[in-house]
Amino acid sequence: MSSENSSTEKISTTRLGSDGPEVGVQGLGCMGMSFAYGETTDPDEARATLERALELGVTLYDTADMYGHGENEKFIAPFVQAHRDEIVLATKFGIVLDKDDPEKRGINNDPAYIRSCVEGSLRRLGVDVIDLYYMHRRDVNVPIEETVGVMAELVAEGKVKHLGLSEVTGPELEAAHAVHPIAAVQSEWSLFSRDVEANVVPTAARLGTAFVPYSPLGRGFLTGAFKDATAELGADDFRRTMPRFSGDNAVANAALLEPVRKLAESRGATLGQIALAWAQRQADVHGLPVVPIPGTRRRSRLEENTAATRLVLTEGELELLDPIAGQVAGGRYANMAFTSAGRE
């Protein structure tokens, strides 16, 4: 099941939302190709990874305007333009970065700002329409009905095809869906992060909205790659700011991987494949389409990730992994105010 044994067979497909596009059951998070996880040392390999993903049936490609102040959209633009009719392009608006202070960020859902963002993304990506446009974060100072109303206008104008929301609560999704169908909700969801199951996942299932888990590998932690996360991460790696990767928390969380490791050994798989298979299995558990978007810059890791779509965990294996999330030390972010869990 590891990358060495990965098949060239294309992954299966599912649909985003009741009327959304058909996509591969695993997408590709493009953020790390040029943002957040340290310098991209081999941009040619990252570009080759985009091409290889499409060969393997990955059709959902996820970026955002805030990833490198638009640089990530520019990075994937040549690939997007070359394969425009073969892929589903997702990008986002709503998080405002300060170029002078990397630690500072805000949220803006004002109508005029949304319109400026979509024009900027269309220009950087070199396309006429965005397939899936997400509200990246919720601005509590703007009614969500107003935000989605503007997004719906973009659909009517032909600039956007489908709408998505990121890090929203169940009631927020419900209110948004009443204004315009929401094809997909994106939030962190993994063996380490399961707060979304209490509220937004059941709401999405009821409304016919797909769920797109970001960081299904716990930002790399679930691959077993870290022994001393803080020491092993570069100075420009934003995970250094995340509680789960710091000090005693990192040590405690590494110990939680033991059942994942044992299951991986019994299945001839990697730890990461078990984590992705768990995320994929949530589609059956909760009754909705689930399309994880693990990020990678390397073809070998991509092949390992997509091979996990053919690994189906049993009920007993799910029960074995079930206690992990409740024992994780540290929150998803240092400041959870910008997440759905911060408003539940």
Side-chain angles (χ1 to χ4, degrees):
M1 182 57 64
S2 64
S3 57
E4 291 82 0
N5 301 321
S6 61
S7 171
T8 56
E9 173 189 349
K10 287 195 174 186
I11 63 176
S12 58
T13 63
T14 189
R15 189 167 296 280
L16 293 181
S18 302
D19 301 310
E22 186 174 345
V23 297
V25 293
Q26 186 181 109
L28 181 62
C30 299
M31 179 182 78
M33 291 185 170
S34 61
F35 177 71
Y37 293 117
E39 183 181 354
T40 303
T41 54
D42 190 349
D44 290 338
E45 176 62 18
R47 294 186 185 98
T49 299
L50 292 167
E51 297 284 351
R52 181 63 176 140
L54 186 57
E55 291 175 0
L56 292 172
V58 174
T59 53
L60 177 63
Y61 293 80
D62 183 276
T63 183
D65 62 358
M66 61 84 67
Y67 298 160
H69 301 278
E71 290 303 314
N72 194 251
E73 290 179 324
K74 292 179 183 178
F75 182 84
I76 70 169
F79 168 79
V80 169
Q81 293 162 27
H83 301 284
R84 191 64 195 96
D85 296 334
E86 302 170 77
I87 70 168
V88 173
L89 171 65
T91 192
K92 317 178 195 74
F93 73 88
I95 297 181
V96 185
L97 297 181
D98 187 334
K99 287 189 176 182
D100 297 323
D101 184 359
E103 299 298 320
K104 185 178 179 182
R105 63 181 57 192
I107 302 176
N108 191 338
N109 291 172
D110 291 341
Y113 180 74
I114 296 171
R115 289 193 164 277
S116 70
C117 286
V118 76
E119 295 299 338
S121 289
L122 288 168
R123 182 178 64 254
R124 287 185 293 271
L125 289 159
V127 298
D128 297 323
V129 62
I130 294 164
D131 299 314
L132 178 59
Y133 200 42
Y134 285 102
M135 178 191 78
H136 205 166
R137 290 292 187 273
R138 166 98 164 91
D139 181 352
V140 296
N141 298 310
V142 180
I144 197 162
E145 294 87 351
E146 182 177 333
T147 301
V148 178
V150 176
M151 296 170 72
E153 291 172 5
L154 299 179
V155 175
E157 293 164 14
K159 296 175 180 178
V160 172
K161 289 184 180 179
H162 305 281
L163 302 186
L165 304 172
S166 180
E167 290 286 359
V168 294
T169 66
E172 288 166 350
L173 171 59
E174 190 110 44
H177 197 80
V179 175
H180 187 281
I182 302 300
V185 168
Q186 183 175 130
S187 190
E188 187 168 355
W189 194 11
S190 73
L191 278 170
F192 269 16
S193 300
R194 298 180 60 180
D195 51 83
V196 293
E197 294 174 29
N199 197 327
V200 68
V201 170
T203 303
R206 179 164 48 81
L207 296 176
T209 297
F211 207 102
V212 178
Y214 71 78
S215 299
L217 293 170
R219 304 186 188 278
F221 211 118
L222 287 165
T223 66
F226 301 106
K227 293 182 180 177
D228 183 345
T230 306
E232 293 169 9
L233 297 173
D236 56 352
D237 192 313
F238 90 125
R239 288 173 293 185
R240 291 179 69 90
T241 69
M242 309 190 95
R244 292 177 179 177
F245 285 83
S246 301
D248 291 342
N249 285 354
V251 175
N253 292 334
L256 296 178
L257 297 178
E258 194 54 33
V260 186
R261 185 171 286 104
K262 288 181 178 178
L263 182 52
E265 290 173 357
S266 71
R267 282 297 203 112
T270 66
L271 276 73
Q273 287 175 327
I274 296 298
L276 289 173
W278 179 90
Q280 203 78 61
R281 191 75 161 78
Q282 301 313 301
D284 299 323
V285 173
H286 295 279
L288 78 171
V290 175
V291 183
I293 50 169
T296 184
R297 309 168 184 175
R298 292 182 290 156
R299 283 170 288 181
S300 59
R301 186 68 72 185
L302 171 85
E303 290 165 359
E304 176 185 326
N305 291 347
T306 54
T309 66
R310 292 179 283 276
L311 175 61
V312 180
L313 300 183
T314 67
E315 294 291 337
E317 289 168 337
L318 291 177
E319 290 177 9
L320 179 71
L321 301 173
D322 195 58
I324 293 174
Q327 303 174 63
V328 173
R332 295 203 270 126
Y333 295 92
N335 180 2
M336 290 288 286
F338 292 163
T339 70
S340 60
R343 296 189 303 279
E344 291 284 10

